[in-house]
């Protein structure tokens, strides 16, 4: 494998006869160096690990306080399917695709990757395309769970000297039923930084308006949020999250000092997706070594908006 080539390699465990793994991980490598992992867990698929160019991991996979916080993930706890019934009417079936256990009376659904493809994209770049089924829990007349939605997720990666630039486009399609999402703070794009990077451990979180700390940023209409902190051995690293403004007219954040960044287009107001249509939500994540000045983060956000115009 050449120095500039990407490969998406499935990790295989040498388990005893009769034993099997309940989760699957594929690692994206460039010239042998791990960049990120695509993990299929019991409840959802997500990105973990997530590395800086220097090899520092900047996210937490399943912290004890919130085991459903899976590093770098997409989820929603209020997805309402409009199920056809008699006389041309419909009933609303509500599903939880965020918490791994029953949450507010809703049993957990699963996000299952059914296909993934890797392709090169220019020098130092690649593209991963995933097809993901959003399936509800086992229930009456749906022994495998209802197919609530189908997501086409595209992850584009560009490698720079001191940062990885990751673009995510999520296209959530209504294939079998109309559905609505939200309003809820438990959606849509989520990131949980490594424990070492939290504010209590010397980390910082800020937004484009100069607000700092989780309480300062939560509920704000920030254009971007940046988290920085220690990653070991005297080193620091960070992640900046840019929701694309075209997809986020109803923009609001949920951010905490203990490591959560959540942003989505339906925190304050729900949205309806009709059968044959799709919700599109785009994000850019900058994963960097060291510290990044506010002016550089702001410049990178403007470039992102310009590219996607």
């Amino acid at each position: 494998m050449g120095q500039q080539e990407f490969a998406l390699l499935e990790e295989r465990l040498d388990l005893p006869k009769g034993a099997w793994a309940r989760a699957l991980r594929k690692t994206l490598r460039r010239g042998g160096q791990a960049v990120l992992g695509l993990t299929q867990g019991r409840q959802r698929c997500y990105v973990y690990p997530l590395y800086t160019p220097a090899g520092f991991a900047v996210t937490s996979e399943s912290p004890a306080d919130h085991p459903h916080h899976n590093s770098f993930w997409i989820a929603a706890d209020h997805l309402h399917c409009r199920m056809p019934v008699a006389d041309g009417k419909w009933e609303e079936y509500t599903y939880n695709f965020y918490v791994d256990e029953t949450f507010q009376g809703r049993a957990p659904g699963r996000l299952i990757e059914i296909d993934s493809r890797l392709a090169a994209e220019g020098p130092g770049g690649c593209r991963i395309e995933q097809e993901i089924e959003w399936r509800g829990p086992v229930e009456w007349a749906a022994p495998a769970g209802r197919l609530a939605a189908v997501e086409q997720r595209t992850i584009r990666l560009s490698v720079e000297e001191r940062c990885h630039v990751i673009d995510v486009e999520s296209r959530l399609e209504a294939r079998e039923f109309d559905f609505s999402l939200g309003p809820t703070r438990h959606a849509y794009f989520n990131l949980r930084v490594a424990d070492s990077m939290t504010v209590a451990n010397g980390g910082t979180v800020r937004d484009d308006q100069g607000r700092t700390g989780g309480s300062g940023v939560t509920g704000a209409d920030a254009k971007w949020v940046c988290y920085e902190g220690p990653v070991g051995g005297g080193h620091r690293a960070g992640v900046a999250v840019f929701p694309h403004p075209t997809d986020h007219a109803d923009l609001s954040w949920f951010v905490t000092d203990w490591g959560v960044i959540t942003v989505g287009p339906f925190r304050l107001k729900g949205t309806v997706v009709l059968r044959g249509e799709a919700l599109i939500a785009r994000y850019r994540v900058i994963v960097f070594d060291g510290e990044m000045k506010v002016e550089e983060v702001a410049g990178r956000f403007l470039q992102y908006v310009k590219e996607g115009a």
Side-chain angles (χ1 to χ4, degrees):
M1 182 168 56
Q3 281 299 110
Q4 304 304 314
E5 293 181 349
F6 289 92
L8 190 59
L9 305 175
E10 183 177 324
E11 294 186 6
R12 295 190 176 275
L13 303 179
D14 185 17
L15 297 173
K17 184 178 180 180
W20 66 93
R22 298 198 68 169
L24 173 70
R25 180 168 293 153
K26 292 173 285 188
T27 301
L28 179 68
R29 296 183 178 273
R30 182 174 185 250
Q33 180 177 349
V35 179
L36 58 81
L38 295 182
T39 300
Q40 176 64 63
R42 294 180 61 182
Q43 297 299 132
R44 69 188 55 82
C45 51
Y46 52 91
V47 173
Y48 182 84
L50 178 62
Y51 297 108
T52 70
F56 292 101
V58 293
T59 59
S60 179
E61 182 176 22
S62 186
D65 52 30
H66 288 73
H68 51 279
H69 284 183
N70 297 138
S71 175
F72 178 121
W73 79 105
I74 287 173
D77 71 330
H78 283 76
L79 191 150
H80 315 281
C81 286
R82 297 179 174 181
M83 307 295 294
V85 293
D87 302 322
K89 298 180 180 179
W90 54 268
E91 296 176 348
E92 188 172 86
Y93 292 11
T94 302
Y95 297 106
N96 153 39
F97 291 99
Y98 188 89
V99 180
D100 296 352
E101 302 174 22
T102 299
F103 183 57
Q104 298 174 352
R106 302 182 304 282
R110 296 174 297 151
L111 273 65
I112 306 166
E113 181 196 87
I114 61 173
D115 189 30
S116 64
R117 298 171 297 279
L118 172 69
E121 196 164 80
C126 69
R127 180 181 73 254
I128 301 171
E129 296 177 348
Q130 297 175 286
E131 183 169 349
I132 299 163
E133 292 185 345
W134 289 46
R135 285 199 172 269
V138 172
E139 58 179 300
W140 175 256
R146 298 186 192 277
L147 183 61
V150 176
E151 181 188 356
Q152 306 292 333
R153 188 181 303 176
T154 302
I155 300 172
R156 287 183 166 88
L157 171 74
S158 179
V159 175
E160 300 181 15
E161 183 177 355
R162 60 179 289 255
C163 70
H164 292 149
V165 179
I166 303 170
D167 287 340
V168 181
E169 178 179 289
S170 172
R171 181 183 178 87
L172 192 63
E173 302 176 8
R175 293 238 180 130
E176 297 188 5
F177 319 102
D178 301 343
F179 64 78
S180 63
L181 288 155
T184 176
R185 67 183 174 90
H186 294 119
Y188 185 63
F189 178 81
N190 310 269
L191 192 143
R192 178 74 184 252
V193 302
D195 288 349
S196 66
M197 296 172 61
T198 63
V199 172
N201 290 320
T204 60
V205 58
R206 65 179 188 270
D207 69 9
D208 65 299
Q209 298 298 312
R211 292 170 290 227
T212 60
S215 60
V217 179
T218 292
D221 59 349
K223 294 178 180 178
W224 52 259
V225 168
C226 184
Y227 226 116
E228 297 180 359
V231 287
H235 298 276
R236 292 179 70 88
V239 291
V241 177
F242 305 161
H244 200 287
T246 302
D247 311 328
H248 293 77
D250 176 24
L251 178 62
S252 184
W253 300 74
F254 176 66
V255 178
T256 72
D257 289 349
W258 37 273
V260 177
I261 301 175
T262 291
V263 63
F266 37 83
R267 173 177 164 82
L268 304 177
K269 183 180 179 181
T271 187
V272 176
V273 182
L274 300 178
R275 187 177 177 185
E277 297 179 354
L279 169 90
I280 298 175
R282 292 170 291 172
Y283 306 88
R284 174 167 288 181
V285 178
I286 311 290
V287 184
F288 56 91
D289 287 299
E291 298 180 346
M292 188 171 285
K293 294 182 179 179
V294 171
E295 295 79 8
E296 183 178 353
V297 179
R300 285 181 173 273
F301 173 77
L302 292 176
Q303 181 62 32
Y304 175 50
V305 174
K306 182 178 178 181
E307 290 173 7

